[in-house]
Each structure stands twice: as C-alpha cells, then as structure tokens.
C-alpha cells in the first residue's frame, strides 16, 4: 500500500446522535440511484424560482449541458431577500473580523440593503446584464456585496485573488472583456496594510475596455487617482436607494468566470451559470456539512478569490441562510492561535479548511489549539488536496476533540461544488480518502482505455454523467473546453486531470494531478506558466519546473534553469532575482521554493523534458529509468550542481 493510503485501516463510524439528526441519511444514495434527475430536481426545489423549468437536463449536444431548461431565478434574491421575507432579517449572515481586530456584524436585512445599493450603483455606472465586472479585493464584506450585486443585475463577476500580480490581472481583464473593476486601496496581511490599487492602475492602464474603477476604502493608504475613471465606493454606493427589484434570469444565465491554471501558460476562464450551480452548491453545503441554519456558526477559512470562497463562503452558505464567520487575515497574525481564538469567540461549529493549513498547525504544535475552547465545533471539512492520514488524525484529535467527523471533499473550480465526499451522518470515515461520489454524481476510476478499475489499481478519475454545477465552457474558447475535459474518453466523459484508485470497499483515493499542474497549498499552478515567466527573464535561456512533494504545502515549486551565454551566475543573488521575477509576473504563490542553475536539461530524443527525473532530483530520490535520455550524463551534471542533500 502506498503511503497515502496507510491509515492503519482505522474507521470512524458516524456518531450515533449525528446519524439520527443529520440533514441527510443513507436513503439519499438510493433516491439518487433510482432517478438521478429527479434527485437534482428535488434539490433545485430548495431554491425559489420565478419560473419552473421545462426540462431538468438537456444533454443533446454534449459536452454542452443545459440544466433546468426554461427555469428562471435570481441568485441574489435566493441568497438574501427570501430569508428576510421569511422573517430572518435579523439573523447574522457574517461575523466579519479584520486582521487588525476590527469587526463587523452583518445581518441578512443589512446585507440585502447593501447589495441593493451596490446593484443600483452598478446600474448607474452603465453595467448591463451579461457585462463582466472584475473584483480584485481583500477579504472584506464589500467583496461579497460586490459579487451579489453583480448576480442581482445579471452581470458576470470575475474575481481575481488579491495575491495575483498586475500582469495576471491584466490578462484576465483582457480575456474576460471586463468593463468595470471593483477594488480597494488595500487589505491587511501579516500585520501590515498591503496595497491593491497600484496593481489595478497598472493593469487597467493596459485594458482599454475598463471604463471605471470603484475603490473601497479599507486601509486608508494613499492611492493614485485617475479622474473620470476612478470612483470611491462610498461616493457611488452609499447614496443609492436600499431598494432594488431583482430581475429573474434564465437558469443558464452566466453567473461568474473564475480563472484557473491549465497545462498551458494561458489560464482558463471557467464559466459557471446560475440555476444548476446554485442548486448543487446549496444542496451540498446543506448535506455535506449538515448545516443547521438556526444553530450553526459556519466558517470556510479560505479566500473569496478562489472557488472555495465563491461556493462555500458566499453562494452555498447564503442560499442556506447560514451564519458565517469571515476573516480577513493570515492564521499567524498577531499570534499563531488567531484561528482558534476566532472559533472560541464566535462559537464556530463547522470549520472548513485545507490540509496545508492543518500541517502548518501541526508544525506549530498541539499546545496552541489546546489553549482555546474549541468545544463548539461539531464538524470539520478539508479541501484542496489529498489530506494525508497523519494530518487527518491530528485535525481529528487536536481540533475536533475526537468527536467531530471530518468530511474530505474532492472537487474543482470546474465542478463548482462537492463531487466526492463522505456524508457526516452516514459514512464510516476512512482517513485520507474522499470516499464516495456525492449522491447524483457518477465518478469512476479508469485505465488509459477507459476501462473501470477497482481493487486498488491506479488510474484516472473521470465523471461519467453531467452534474448541475459543472462548468459550461471555457470563456471564449469552446474548443479548449472540449479538448481539455471531454476528448480523452469521448464527449460524454469528463476527464478531471487527477490520478485515483478505488479500494475493495469502494472508497476513492485521490492521488494528485496527472498533468503538468502543481498543487501548492491547495492552489493550482501550471508548470508551463512558471516556466514561461522564467524564460521571460533576460538571464534565462531555458527552464523546467516541477512540483516536488513538500511536507507543509503539499507540493513546492522547484525550477531548473539554463542561463543565457552572456549571463553571469551570481549564485544566491540570481536565484532571489528570479524568484522575485516570478512573484511579480504571476503572484507570490507562484514563487519557486528552489531554483537550480544547470548546464543541461534531461530530454528525450523527441525533445521532451523528462520532468519525472527532475522530480526525482528535487525530492532527493534515486534516479528512475534514464535510458530514453539523449544523453544520460546530463543527470550527473545536474546532480553535481546540487546542494548537499538535507
Ligand atoms: C484540484 C482542483 C476545490 C477547491 C479547491 C481547489 C485537488 C481538491 C481535493 C481533495 C484530493 C483534491 C485535485 C483537484 N483537490 N480537493 N479533497 N482530495 N485532491 O480547486 O484549484 O480547482 O483544484 O485540487 O487535484 O483536481 P482547484
């Protein structure tokens, strides 16, 4: 058995009380099995539609799906007004906490008013249904308000994570054709204000399609101002009417675009639409987390700038009338117990986070969580990469007090919502495995020919039926959508890009990406994107990048570069220059952990770089098979350059 499946065969059955009280029981699997479309139809009825659909799924033109055909709804109305109308206006939607310790409590009634005002402001600025609006923000309430304001008027939001560079923002503005950018002066990170507006100024300067930039005041940093283009949020939003009549949009009306790394240097704009997305996001949030809106305090500790934030900070929780915690900053500011302090303060009952964070907490030591009252927690979740059994068990013991089930949820930006996960009141948990397809989802492990594999053979994960929250296309590039996801095994089978295996008990184990995409701290970064940034530097002739396993971040970025003839190898200084160059190009998350200057790269006779061998080196392993190399002495040359193995 591989290390990732070595959970000593331990099983954690659903606690009896939870099994009795959970939102869903074992029968959901049977219902979905008996009639998959009827199952999703029932899930869709948890929402408020202004026109019922005529057909649940139109799959006559695969892989282009239409869900809830003919149905009409307003996503923001479903997240806000309907709860207020039902008498829950005073319920807290968000307990927001800024990194410096400032707080805001926002009820459903207040959030509805703020969203209406922002929607009116967007209309005043000439934003129409279908227009793209970029949001480049820290983790503040206005980020959520801006997203919902777009949804309310049918504009398509395109949130760019605040950690991305001006270049990354510029290419996304261009590709999406954004007409407006919503940003802030900055946000707080690691105890200091971190500016956002300069990157927007840089990016918008290159994007003639952007008419206005709306700026939220958060840090009060000085900002450059372009008259006629830039507007303060408080000037345009605050004076608006808190009333706005939501228009119902088609179920397939675009809701948002979220860019994610693929195997080429150009990120893919993943398009999500309205009815199916909200249906699956709301239903999974309710079932996977057993959300009880009257009593739970729910916290997805992730950034709104990623799909996890879209689906499980914003749309799922709000559609379910959850009370959520939202935190602006980093876990170690001002001290390493900050998250636990927040759990204690707000009596958080459900916590959803990533394995990389758990491993960081492990490194800091169990004394830190032990110093806080975490007894309010009843359920834990994990997402972003496989959670190794050791981290699972640590999370279970030191944060969950050995009483909280952990749901390990596998999904992707493209899938929009949970796809493979245990159900907390049903599944007997197996640490390290995401276990079973969600009811109504068909996932399989197959070999290269598409034959199903069971009994622990390693293969590829595929999804064999369309699902409501699936991506509809890659923005502006239907061909790439078909090629990337729906061509390896034909137009009816979605290729996820993950390796997987299914054990004899039917548990699915995710084994990481099989393409040239790295997973660093749960964030997807393409090797090609980092390579093309490196060769963009005047000193670099050629670059090869691999993801090497890293005890904390899952994978770390390791780059091998060949310098240009006239470039001088100044050692550590050059390495720092190149690391900073990549951070500036793509964003700090893409900064290589290690850069090695080499004379040659190992290549096959057809000229393909053998990353497998570079990965062996980066992970300090014995070299694998080198016989297909043009020149096997290349590897010795590279090894000679290595720092002594640590
Ligand atoms: C990739 C998707 C889903 C939101 C966060 C990341 C990996 C995600 C798990 C999990 C094993 C996981 C996969 C997937 N992944 N969750 N529970 N177990 N692997 O979204 O950036 O679209 O990345 O993250 O490799 O393909 P994303």
């Amino acid at each position: 058995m591989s290390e990732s499946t070595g959970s000593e065969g331990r099983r954690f059955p659903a606690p009896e009380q939870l099994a009795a009280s959970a939102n869903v029981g074992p029968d959901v699997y049977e219902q979905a099995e008996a009639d998959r479309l009827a199952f999703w139809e029932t899930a869709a009825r948890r929402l408020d539609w202004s026109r019922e659909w005529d057909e649940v799924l139109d799959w006559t033109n695969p892989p282009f799906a239409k869900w809830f055909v003919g149905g009409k709804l307003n996503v923001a109305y479903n997240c806000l007004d309907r709860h207020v109308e039902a008498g829950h206006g005073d319920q807290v939607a968000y307990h927001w906490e800024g990194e410096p310790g400032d707080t805001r409590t926002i009820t459903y009634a207040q959030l509805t008013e703020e969203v209406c005002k922002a929607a009116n402001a967007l209309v005043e600025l000439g934003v129409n249904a279908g227009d793209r609006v970029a949001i480049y923000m820290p983790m503040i309430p206005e980020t959520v308000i801006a997203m919902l304001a777009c949804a309310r008027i049918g504009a398509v939001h395109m949130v760019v994570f605040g950690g991305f560079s001006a270049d990354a923002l510029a290419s996304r503005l261009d590709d999406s054709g954004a007409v407006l950018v919503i940003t802030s002066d900055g946000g707080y990170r690691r105890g200091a204000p971190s500016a956002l507006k300069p990157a927007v100024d840089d990016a918008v300067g290159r994007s003639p399609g952007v008419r206005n930039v709306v700026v939220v005041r958060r840090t009060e940093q000085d900002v450059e101002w372009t008259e006629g283009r830039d507007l303060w949020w408080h000037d345009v939003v605050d004076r608006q009417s808190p009333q706005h009549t939501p228009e119902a949009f088609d179920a397939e009306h675009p809701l948002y675009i979220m860019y994610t790394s693929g195997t080429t240097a150009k990120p893919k704009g993943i398009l999500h639409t309205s009815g199916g997305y909200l249906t699956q996001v709301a239903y999974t949030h309710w079932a996977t987390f057993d959300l009880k809106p009257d009593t739970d305090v729910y916290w997805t500790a992730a950034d709104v700038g990623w799909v996890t934030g879209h689906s499980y900070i914003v749309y799922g929780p709000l559609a379910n009338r959850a009370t959520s915690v939202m935190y602006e900053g980093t876990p170690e500011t001002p001290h390493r117990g900050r998250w636990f302090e927040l759990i204690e303060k707000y009596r958080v009952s459900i916590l959803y986070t990533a394995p990389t964070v758990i491993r960081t907490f492990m490194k800091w030591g169990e004394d830190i969580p032990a110093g806080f009252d975490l007894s309010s927690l009843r359920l834990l979740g994990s997402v972003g990469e496989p959670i190794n059994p050791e981290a699972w068990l640590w999370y279970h013991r030191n944060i969950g007090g050995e009483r909280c089930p952990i749901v390990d949820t596998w999904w992707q930006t493209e899938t929009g919502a949970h796809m493979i996960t245990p159900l907390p009141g049903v599944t007997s948990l197996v640490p390290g495995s995401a276990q079973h397809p969600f009811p109504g989802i068909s996932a399989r492990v197959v070999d290269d020919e598409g034959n199903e594999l069971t009994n622990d053979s390693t293969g590829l994960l595929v999804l064999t039926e369309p699902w409501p929250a699936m991506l509809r296309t890659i923005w502006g590039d239907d061909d790439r959508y078909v090629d990337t996801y729906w061509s390896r095994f034909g137009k009816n089978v979605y290729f996820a890009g993950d390796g997987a295996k299914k054990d004899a008990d039917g548990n699915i184990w995710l084994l990481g990406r099989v393409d040239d995409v790295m997973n660093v701290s749960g964030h997807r970064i393409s090797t090609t994107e980092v390579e093309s940034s490196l060769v963009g530097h005047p000193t670099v002739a050629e670059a090869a990048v691999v993801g090497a396993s890293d005890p904390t971040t899952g994978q770390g970025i390791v780059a091998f570069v060949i310098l240009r003839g006239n470039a001088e190898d100044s050692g550590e200084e050059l390495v720092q220059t190149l690391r900073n160059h990549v951070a500036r190009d793509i964003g700090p998350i893409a900064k290589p952990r290690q850069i090695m200057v080499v004379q040659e790269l190992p290549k096959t006779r057809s000229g393909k770089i053998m990353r497998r061998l570079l990965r062996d080196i980066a992970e300090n392993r014995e070299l694998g098979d080198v016989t297909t190399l043009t020149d096997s002495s290349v590897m010795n040359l590279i090894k000679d350059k290595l720092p002594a193995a640590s």
Side-chain angles (χ1 to χ4, degrees), residues 204-251:
V204 171
R206 294 179 256 165
S207 311
V210 176
R211 297 191 303 255
N212 290 110
V213 176
V214 177
V215 188
V216 176
R217 185 134 73 200
R218 164 69 184 132
T219 57
E220 316 217 342
Q221 284 162 287
D222 285 339
V223 290
E224 301 259 325
W225 207 252
T226 303
E227 284 307 329
R229 184 196 74 185
D230 295 354
L231 303 155
W232 285 110
W233 172 282
H234 53 260
D235 285 341
V236 281
V237 175
D238 289 2
R239 61 182 164 76
Q240 301 289 338
S241 156
Q243 246 113 61
H244 174 271
T245 309
E247 182 189 335
F249 293 99
D250 195 89

Side-chain angles (χ1 to χ4, degrees), residues 41-334:
E41 197 162 30
T42 308
R45 292 225 163 81
R46 300 179 66 253
L47 304 177
D48 216 285
W49 297 75
S50 37
R51 186 188 187 279
E52 166 105 11
W53 50 91
D54 306 311
E55 194 187 358
V56 183
L57 168 67
D58 176 357
W59 190 236
T60 52
N61 180 30
F64 298 94
K66 291 192 181 121
W67 280 87
F68 306 111
V69 185
K72 282 183 185 292
L73 80 173
N74 184 286
V75 169
Y77 173 84
N78 273 280
C79 291
L80 302 165
D81 312 54
R82 66 168 177 151
H83 305 315
V84 178
E85 287 166 12
H88 300 290
D90 291 338
Q91 184 178 328
V92 175
Y94 293 104
H95 292 290
W96 177 82
E97 177 118 354
E99 198 186 71
D102 49 335
T103 62
R104 281 163 74 181
T105 305
I106 305 165
T107 64
Y108 274 91
Q110 290 164 338
L111 189 62
T112 306
E113 292 202 347
E114 292 305 317
V115 169
C116 287
K117 286 198 228 168
N120 287 324
L122 291 178
V123 171
E124 185 182 297
L125 292 170
V127 177
N128 294 313
D131 286 351
R132 275 78 62 208
V133 173
I135 301 178
Y136 184 67
M137 295 271 264
M139 282 280 287
I140 56 175
E142 283 79 6
T143 311
V144 178
I145 294 166
M147 290 166 70
L148 292 165
C150 289
R152 195 171 186 94
I153 65 166
V156 185
H157 60 71
M158 193 275 287
V159 180
V160 178
F161 173 58
F164 275 122
S165 65
D167 280 354
L169 177 61
S171 70
R172 286 157 173 77
L173 292 177
D174 176 54
D175 190 77
S176 66
V179 298
L180 184 96
V181 178
I182 302 176
T183 187
S184 73
D185 45 4
Y188 289 95
R189 281 197 83 71
R190 293 182 214 287
S194 152
L196 287 171
K197 180 74 167 36
V200 173
D201 291 333
D202 180 345
V204 171
R206 294 179 256 165
S207 311
V210 176
R211 297 191 303 255
N212 290 110
V213 176
V214 177
V215 188
V216 176
R217 185 134 73 200
R218 164 69 184 132
T219 57
E220 316 217 342
Q221 284 162 287
D222 285 339
V223 290
E224 301 259 325
W225 207 252
T226 303
E227 284 307 329
R229 184 196 74 185
D230 295 354
L231 303 155
W232 285 110
W233 172 282
H234 53 260
D235 285 341
V236 281
V237 175
D238 289 2
R239 61 182 164 76
Q240 301 289 338
S241 156
Q243 246 113 61
H244 174 271
T245 309
E247 182 189 335
F249 293 99
D250 195 89
E252 285 298 339
H253 187 79
L255 180 62
Y256 69 83
I257 303 168
M258 162 118 278
Y259 284 84
T260 187
S261 292
T263 52
T264 69
K266 189 174 188 273
K268 302 175 284 196
I270 303 301
L271 178 70
H272 283 293
T273 60
S274 303
Y277 173 78
L278 197 64
T279 292
Q280 191 179 338
V281 157
Y283 186 78
T284 52
H285 179 258
W286 178 76
T288 310
F289 298 121
D290 184 39
L291 184 94
K292 303 283 198 275
D294 294 325
T295 48
D296 276 318
V297 178
Y298 174 84
W299 185 16
T300 289
D303 197 286
V304 176
W306 305 106
V307 75
T308 307
H310 281 47
S311 298
Y312 298 106
I313 295 178
V314 182
Y315 291 112
L318 293 177
N320 288 326
R321 187 177 42 91
T323 293
S324 292
V325 168
M326 184 173 168
Y327 170 56
E328 178 186 30
T330 50
E332 68 270 48
T333 310

Side-chain angles (χ1 to χ4, degrees), residues 260 307-308 382-387 408-414 434 496 498 510 512-513 519 522-524:
T260 187
V307 75
T308 307
S382 175
V383 62
E385 56 172 313
I387 179 163
D408 174 5
T409 58
W410 178 89
W411 57 296
Q412 307 176 299
T413 305
E414 292 86 342
D498 277 30
L510 281 312
R513 304 286 310 182
N519 187 328
H523 299 316
R524 247 204 260 180

